[in-house]
Amino acid sequence: MFWTRTGLLLAILLVISIGSLWISSAMDAGLFKNLLTALGTGTMISAIVGFGQTLITASASHKALVTPLIEESKRALRDLSSEYRALNNEFFPTHVFEATTTPDPEFNRLLMADLKRSRQYFFRGFAGRHAAARLLLTHSEWELRTVVADPRQHSAISGRARYLLRHEGATGDYDKIRKRLVEEISIGIVGLYLARSRCTAIEIAVISDPPLDRTEIFDDSVWLTLYSDVGGATSLYPRTLRFSEGSFIYGMQRAEFHRMRDTRTAQKFSITPDTTRSEFLALFGKITGTPLTEEGYADLERKFHDFRAEFTKAAGLES
């Protein structure tokens, strides 16, 4: 609007100036010719001076008004970008692995890389088989704390049993699935005993109402495997999210892990590198409520190594 009005005024002055000079050039010498010449010349000078003043005023106004506004907008955008990045770090996962029917090698490679860099490994899951297998695939040393399902409590098994039953359809047998899950817990406990040399200490907390989702916490990341995600109910391997150490989710999951293992109903057991076979057999009976003989131990050990070999191959972790 400013430039439109100014331009119109300058155009009128130029028209008057040019018209006056053109008419005066065709007139005879006299008073009217002198008046028109003076009018044209004065109008021309006014137009030129006005145009120069307009340029100076516009430039000054731009510096005084527009430039600070642009700088303020840039600063606001930078602040907004910084806030958005902070929100990303706080609440958004660094990696998302969608539900699949087969193990994702990239998922397992990245998780193993986090494990190798960590000194502490907190595992909250169902049986602990995967945690034991991962420990035996590396050559570091950790402080391992696990929270697993209590095999003596029916409520601890039912959630995972229902999840697996959805994949077996109408032919699924709930009782058979539950029996298999109890055996998986036993295999996982034996696996943790076999991995004792990779840990300064292993703590096993058994609870009667474990969450359906699996949580694995390392020094600089937390992994959430969402068995409760109904969107991936048709896939054997659920959707998994990875959050960094500085995120809100990391702190929340770590606090939740400690809350669950410190509840009154949780029973805690310890395994050290010096735990003997006979001590472990007695410990196994306390955890599961079922005595374990040497023959039973040998059978569970064989089943664990079969699982470890199968898992290592499927996950693409073969050396």
Side-chain angles (χ1 to χ4, degrees), residues 235-246:
S235 300
L236 184 60
Y237 300 96
R239 191 166 185 252
T240 300
L241 309 177
R242 178 189 184 274
F243 294 88
S244 63
E245 183 271 337

Side-chain angles (χ1 to χ4, degrees), residues 6-19:
T6 304
L8 179 61
L9 177 60
L10 292 175
I12 292 173
L13 290 175
L14 287 174
V15 169
I16 294 174
S17 174
I18 294 173

